[in-house]
Amino acid sequence: MNIREETKELHDLVEETTFALRLLNGETTDMDYVRYLNAQYVIFEAIEVFGEVYRGYKIPHSSLARCDSIVKDLETLGKIPSIFDTPKSAIRYSNYILGEDEDDTESLNSHFYLNYLGMVFGGSIIAKNIPTPGHMYKFKDRQECIRSIRDLTLNTEKVKQGFRYHIDIMEELEEMRTNASVE
């Protein structure tokens, strides 16, 4: 069984969350999307910035880097990355990424696989219905980026745990949306 088959159930659960369905259907407000971008920013920051500086690991292809793209998208909405508008579950996931054993390459590769391939493939669908130019979903050397990730050795359990975090993030984003509309 391959990684896609082994993680399909959790992948589907992420896509079936109310917030993910809103995102896919273009039913998010600008603030919903800001929160989503902030969640993505802390995850990619953990992988790209802190991971490289403090752990010495690098993303598999330089064109995969997302932090600057996310900042550009936030700027089009008049925002900058902010911890105040970020789901706590995204922060927990970034802490999980940073807590990985630096010698466990398969675990780190698993976060590359889950987060970057999600942007490469799912992003083209999401980008059609968002309130920004979708810089986060635009990749130079797209096929090379995909190939660089597919060549990695992965830890299936780490990918599954990452999906569980993404489910939590989507659920919290929906809760933040609901709480904001009540206030």
Side-chain angles (χ1 to χ4, degrees):
M1 189 179 305
N2 69 32
I3 190 81
R4 286 184 70 189
E5 292 169 352
E6 290 183 55
T7 60
K8 183 179 179 351
E9 183 179 332
L10 288 166
H11 175 272
D12 292 349
L13 287 172
V14 172
E15 287 188 344
E16 293 165 2
T17 63
T18 302
F19 189 87
L21 292 171
R22 286 185 202 283
L23 189 61
L24 289 168
N25 293 323
E27 299 170 355
T28 57
T29 66
D30 287 0
M31 195 61 212
D32 292 336
Y33 197 63
V34 165
R35 291 182 192 113
Y36 173 75
L37 288 172
N38 281 328
Q40 296 304 315
Y41 185 82
V42 300
I43 293 166
F44 287 110
E45 183 180 48
I47 295 170
E48 296 170 15
V49 179
F50 297 115
E52 183 173 342
V53 172
Y54 298 109
R55 304 302 287 284
Y57 62 86
K58 294 183 182 208
I59 57 177
H61 192 283
S62 61
S63 295
L64 287 167
R66 295 294 90 197
C67 286
D68 290 342
S69 302
I70 295 169
V71 169
K72 285 181 188 175
D73 280 332
L74 282 165
E75 287 173 348
T76 66
L77 295 168
K79 302 288 185 178
I80 59 171
S82 170
I83 203 79
F84 299 109
D85 291 318
T86 302
K88 289 176 181 55
S89 49
I91 296 166
R92 283 191 295 276
Y93 181 40
S94 68
N95 289 337
Y96 175 75
I97 292 168
L98 292 171
E100 294 291 4
D101 181 358
E102 65 185 280
D103 295 328
D104 186 0
T105 304
E106 287 182 2
S107 292
L108 299 173
N109 289 346
S110 300
H111 300 297
F112 297 144
Y113 170 84
L114 173 62
N115 293 287
Y116 291 98
L117 281 187
M119 285 297 138
V120 170
F121 290 115
S124 60
I125 298 166
I126 294 170
K128 296 174 186 173
N129 296 312
I130 55 173
T132 70
H135 298 290
M136 179 170 64
Y137 306 112
K138 296 175 184 172
F139 290 84
K140 293 179 186 172
D141 306 318
R142 186 176 185 274
Q143 291 305 318
E144 289 175 34
C145 289
I146 293 168
R147 197 171 11 266
S148 73
I149 294 172
R150 287 208 168 135
D151 290 342
L152 300 173
T153 305
L154 306 173
N155 178 320
T156 303
E157 290 310 310
K158 296 293 181 175
V159 175
K160 288 179 178 180
Q161 184 59 38
F163 272 121
R164 289 182 196 102
Y165 276 108
H166 278 282
I167 292 167
D168 291 346
I169 291 165
M170 291 298 175
E171 289 175 348
E172 188 175 349
L173 284 164
E174 184 62 23
E175 185 179 311
M176 292 170 85
R177 172 190 174 90
T178 302
N179 290 342
S181 64
V182 171
E183 295 172 354

